[in-house]
Amino acid sequence: QVQLVESGGGLVQAGGSLRLSCAASGGTFGTYNMGWFRQAPGKEREFVAAISWRDDSTYYADSVKGRFTISRDNAKNTAYLQMNSLKPEDTAVYYCAADWRSRYVLTTTRSRYDYWGQGTQVTVSS
């Protein structure tokens, strides 16, 4: 069983930056695709970014492309989401997730991820 714990959320002004971390334990981190999702109040949880375990290839939602960067450090069992040029519409609870079953394809589909963290709040003020 994999446990994921996010950290790094907080309150930031528009245009600012935050780096989220996702610490994993209980599994072989280096063999999971990792993803970040977010959920704003009253909205569905949506895909943000994902990174492959095989070659560190990445994929981003159009809304964050060019502003957010996903990365991983397998030696530390940790995934990251660097968020720059933050906007008020980025305000949400951010979740990291691990994909084992469909790990040979980098996916944006929420249901394909097997393990989830508890989330960390990101609030961007205007």
Side-chain angles (χ1 to χ4, degrees):
Q1 188 75 6
V2 175
Q3 291 83 44
L4 303 174
V5 178
E6 302 96 336
S7 61
L11 174 64
V12 64
Q13 288 188 330
S17 298
L18 282 174
R19 188 176 82 154
L20 305 183
S21 299
C22 173
S25 61
T28 308
F29 179 78
T31 62
Y32 292 86
N33 289 341
M34 297 299 296
W36 285 95
F37 290 75
R38 66 186 182 186
Q39 187 166 17
K43 294 188 176 181
E44 293 286 320
R45 191 172 301 188
E46 66 175 4
F47 170 79
V48 175
I51 185 166
S52 169
W53 67 275
R54 290 198 294 175
D55 58 7
D56 285 352
S57 58
T58 58
Y59 189 78
Y60 297 92
D62 287 343
S63 59
V64 306
K65 202 172 295 182
R67 300 187 298 122
F68 291 10
T69 302
I70 188 172
S71 62
R72 64 191 300 157
D73 185 337
N74 291 340
K76 295 183 178 180
N77 289 350
T78 302
Y80 303 96
L81 185 68
Q82 177 67 44
M83 305 186 295
N84 298 329
S85 302
L86 282 161
K87 305 175 181 179
E89 51 263 43
D90 294 318
T91 295
V93 177
Y94 283 71
Y95 299 88
C96 71
D99 169 21
W100 164 257
R101 290 174 294 154
S102 56
R103 64 194 182 281
Y104 291 101
V105 177
L106 199 58
T107 180
T108 66
T109 304
R110 187 176 64 191
S111 62
R112 302 303 292 270
Y113 285 80
D114 304 292
Y115 305 101
W116 291 83
Q118 83 290 346
T120 186
Q121 176 70 47
V122 171
T123 303
V124 184
S125 63
S126 56

